[in-house]
Amino acid sequence: MTNSLTSPRTAAPLTLALLVFAFALANYTQDMALLSLTPPPTDANPNPGPDVTPDRVFSLYLSAYTAWAALILLIPAYVFVWFQSRYQSWLAFWAASYVAYVVHLYISAFWFFEGDFTAMTTSSRVSAFWPGMVILVWWGVDVLIGLALATGRWVTIQRVIVHLLVFVLFVGGSAVKGETTTIQLMGWAFFGAGVGAMVVYVVNRRKAA
């Protein structure tokens, strides 16, 4: 398994490759009108106007594609989290996806929104600002706990909760609210992989009982 795509050694170079590809893809597609320059409508503003100036189009696309990178890296993490024998693979991809998520948030906050906190918290482009901040901290803490090889009941409990939170955040942002068919399909693939791995785990546990 050391040469497979799901080897722990693969996570770091794959993350770098995905982030580099995200930059290249954003540069290539920014003039193709694949993403809307108008934020999603709300009850208060059912017909919003464009909120993206020409100098921020690239950062809009890059923000989206780095989120896609984080989602791709989460798929093996959510498969391996159920199997103790693949702990190192789970941790590698869990940490790698976190890095991509941090890059995504940084680009969104400081490139697209240009550090405007009010815009970040009021724009309809951001559907879960505070939950996202909670996840940013908690996910990072769990990565550190994983690197420390800490175990115990409370470690397991908090890990289950943070995995559920991340799962809901990414499925909601991709499969449910994804702007393009591509990200919607990626979201459902993530959903299927996570649920499928859980089903396999439960079936194996019952067989072993």
Side-chain angles (χ1 to χ4, degrees):
M1 297 298 291
T2 56
N3 294 322
S4 73
L5 188 61
T6 55
S7 166
R9 297 180 181 179
T10 307
L14 180 59
T15 303
L16 180 60
L18 286 172
L19 292 176
V20 170
F21 182 67
F23 274 81
L25 190 63
N27 184 62
Y28 180 73
T29 62
Q30 62 180 319
D31 298 322
M32 294 184 179
L34 299 177
L35 301 177
S36 176
L37 302 184
T38 302
T42 63
D43 292 339
N45 188 10
N47 296 298
D51 66 342
V52 182
T53 54
D55 62 308
R56 292 196 298 155
V57 173
F58 174 75
S59 61
L60 171 69
Y61 280 75
L62 185 56
S63 175
Y65 296 152
T66 50
W68 294 15
L71 177 61
I72 291 170
L73 293 164
L74 274 179
I75 293 176
Y78 272 74
V79 171
F80 296 139
V81 71
W82 296 100
F83 307 99
Q84 185 61 32
S85 63
R86 299 307 302 270
Y87 181 88
Q88 293 299 326
S89 291
W90 160 76
L91 180 58
F93 284 97
W94 183 238
S97 182
Y98 179 71
V99 170
Y101 181 64
V102 170
V103 171
H104 159 69
L105 291 183
Y106 179 85
I107 289 169
S108 299
F110 296 104
W111 290 22
F112 181 75
F113 286 109
E114 299 177 337
D116 188 337
F117 182 79
T118 301
M120 293 179 221
T121 55
T122 59
S123 173
S124 60
R125 289 186 181 276
V126 183
S127 58
F129 178 83
W130 290 113
M133 293 301 99
V134 171
I135 287 172
L136 172 66
V137 175
W138 196 342
W139 190 349
V141 169
D142 188 56
V143 168
L144 294 177
I145 292 173
L147 291 171
L149 302 178
T151 59
R153 180 183 178 187
W154 289 108
V155 170
T156 300
I157 290 173
Q158 69 82 29
R159 182 158 293 154
V160 168
I161 295 173
V162 72
H163 273 72
L164 286 174
L165 292 175
V166 172
F167 190 77
V168 170
L169 178 72
F170 274 82
V171 170
S174 57
V176 178
K177 295 184 178 181
E179 189 174 342
T180 67
T181 301
T182 300
I183 188 58
Q184 290 173 355
L185 291 175
M186 289 167 58
W188 285 116
F190 170 55
F191 177 85
V195 172
M198 180 183 67
V199 170
V200 171
Y201 170 78
V202 171
V203 170
N204 289 340
R205 290 270 294 183
R206 289 183 175 179
K207 287 181 178 179

